């Protein structure tokens, strides 16, 4: 395709993606109230337990409408993700080989469930984090929590855990690309285990260690599973290279047609 045709196709893909986001934003407008209620539930429970010492507030008159509009669009991006992901895939797939398409589909098939599992884990630990942080409020004082700041804090924590669950997919991807070997990743297992437990302790700072182990366990299982996949891929790569080297040595001893006549 010519450059102008590529740009025209990109414009059409972007328009379709934007339409999907707008339609998803309408759904986000409908889902805004129950979603905000669920996000604010930890603070509301703490407020009931402490006699109203914690509450979520809006700073200005127009903040509730502005915030609802932004949150609706954000929810719309999430709801319409199958649409714009497909449009992105449809735009780049003509330039990929059949092998690269299979790899890309495999990564997406593994990344989407892992990301959703991380989001679900973050959703479970957020109430504990909010409860732990609000305990530092001095006696006789109240926590006036800005709604925008609170939602940004919650969504950032949930997204961080979602991205953390994608680390194994990233490790396998860079190993498939030949950037790093499985043995190199395995050598850093002590540092990785330490960082996983630090992340789990921050995300689940409950009084007991059970919640920390429940969060760290799946992350460690995914990490070592990724190492196993990387090691198997290294073995397959080594066998292919050995086979290629053997074929090269075998063909190197065979004279090419016409070479004997040239020597005469």
């Amino acid at each position: 395709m010519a450059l102008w045709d590529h740009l025209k196709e990109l414009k059409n893909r972007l328009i379709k993606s934007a339409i999907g986001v707008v339609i998803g934003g309408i759904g986000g407008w409908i889902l805004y109230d129950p979603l905000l209620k669920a996000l604010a539930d930890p603070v509301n429970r703490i407020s009931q337990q402490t006699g109203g010492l914690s509450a979520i507030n809006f700073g200005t008159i127009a903040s509730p409408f502005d915030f609802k509009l932004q949150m609706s669009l954000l929810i719309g991006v999430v709801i319409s993700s199958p649409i714009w992901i497909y449009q992105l895939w449809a735009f780049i797939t003509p330039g990929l080989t059949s092998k690269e398409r299979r790899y890309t589909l495999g990564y997406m098939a593994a990344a989407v469930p892992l990301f959703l599992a991380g989001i679900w884990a973050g959703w479970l630990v957020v109430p504990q984090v909010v409860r732990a942080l609000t305990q530092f409020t001095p006696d006789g004082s109240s926590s006036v929590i800005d709604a925008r700041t609170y939602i940004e804090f919650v969504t950032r924590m949930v997204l961080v855990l979602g991205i953390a669950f994608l680390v194994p997919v990233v490790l396998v991807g860079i190993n498939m690309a030949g950037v790093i070997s499985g043995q190199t990743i395995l050598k850093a297992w002590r540092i990785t285990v330490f960082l996983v437990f630090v992340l789990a302790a921050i995300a689940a700072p409950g009084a007991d260690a059970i919640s920390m182990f429940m969060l760290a366990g799946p992350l460690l299982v995914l990490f070592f599973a990724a190492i196993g996949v990387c090691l198997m891929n290294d073995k397959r790569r080594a066998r292919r290279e050995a086979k290629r080297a053997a074929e090269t040595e075998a063909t190197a001893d065979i004279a090419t047609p016409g070479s004997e006549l040239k020597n005469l």
Side-chain angles (χ1 to χ4, degrees):
M1 294 176 62
L3 177 61
W4 177 253
D5 294 330
H6 280 293
L7 294 177
K8 185 177 180 180
E9 183 184 4
L10 177 61
K11 182 191 71 173
N12 294 333
R13 299 293 181 186
L14 291 176
I15 292 175
K16 294 178 181 178
S17 300
I19 293 174
V21 171
V22 171
I23 296 175
I26 297 174
W29 186 275
I30 299 173
L31 296 174
Y32 169 80
D33 290 330
L35 180 61
L36 184 63
K37 183 179 180 180
L39 291 175
D41 184 64
V43 177
N44 294 333
R45 290 183 181 181
I46 296 171
S47 179
Q48 293 175 1
Q49 295 173 1
T50 59
L53 296 181
S54 301
I56 295 179
N57 296 272
F58 291 96
T60 62
I61 297 175
S63 292
F65 174 77
D66 181 51
F67 185 72
K68 184 174 183 178
L69 183 61
Q70 293 183 13
M71 284 295 295
S72 299
L73 290 176
L74 180 61
I75 297 171
V77 171
V78 176
I79 294 176
S80 64
S81 57
I83 297 176
W84 56 262
I85 288 176
Y86 171 76
Q87 296 300 325
L88 176 63
W89 166 257
F91 178 73
I92 65 174
T93 188
L96 301 177
T97 63
S98 58
K99 185 177 181 180
E100 291 172 341
R101 293 177 188 175
R102 290 195 301 269
Y103 281 151
T104 306
L105 286 175
Y107 293 146
M108 292 178 63
V112 172
L114 287 176
F115 180 73
L116 294 177
I119 294 294
W120 177 73
W123 185 267
L124 293 180
V125 302
V126 159
Q128 300 182 22
V129 175
V130 174
R131 188 179 300 108
L133 294 178
T134 52
Q135 288 178 355
F136 292 95
T137 303
D139 295 336
S141 302
S142 61
S143 298
V144 180
I145 304 173
D146 180 70
R148 188 183 302 276
T149 303
Y150 174 74
I151 299 301
E152 289 178 355
F153 168 78
V154 172
T155 54
R156 187 180 297 114
M157 176 161 292
V158 171
L159 288 175
V160 165
L161 286 175
I163 294 173
F165 273 64
L166 290 178
V167 172
V169 179
V170 175
L171 291 178
V172 173
I174 61 179
N175 175 260
M176 291 283 187
V179 177
I180 189 172
S181 64
Q183 288 292 339
T184 303
I185 302 174
L186 184 60
K187 291 179 181 178
W189 72 269
R190 295 180 179 87
I191 299 176
T192 303
V193 170
F194 173 75
L195 293 177
V196 166
F197 274 98
V198 169
L199 176 63
I202 294 174
D208 57 339
I210 297 178
S211 58
M212 180 184 69
F213 282 100
M214 289 181 63
L215 180 60
L219 291 174
L220 291 177
V221 170
L222 291 173
F223 172 73
F224 285 106
I227 291 180
V229 174
C230 292
L231 292 175
M232 289 189 295
N233 183 61
D234 290 342
K235 291 181 180 179
R236 288 197 298 267
R237 185 184 294 115
R239 287 196 296 267
R240 288 197 302 266
E241 292 178 354
K243 183 179 179 180
R244 189 180 300 111
E247 292 176 352
T248 303
E249 292 178 359
T251 56
D253 297 334
I254 301 175
T256 57
S259 60
E260 297 178 357
L261 295 177
K262 291 181 179 180
N263 292 332
L264 295 174

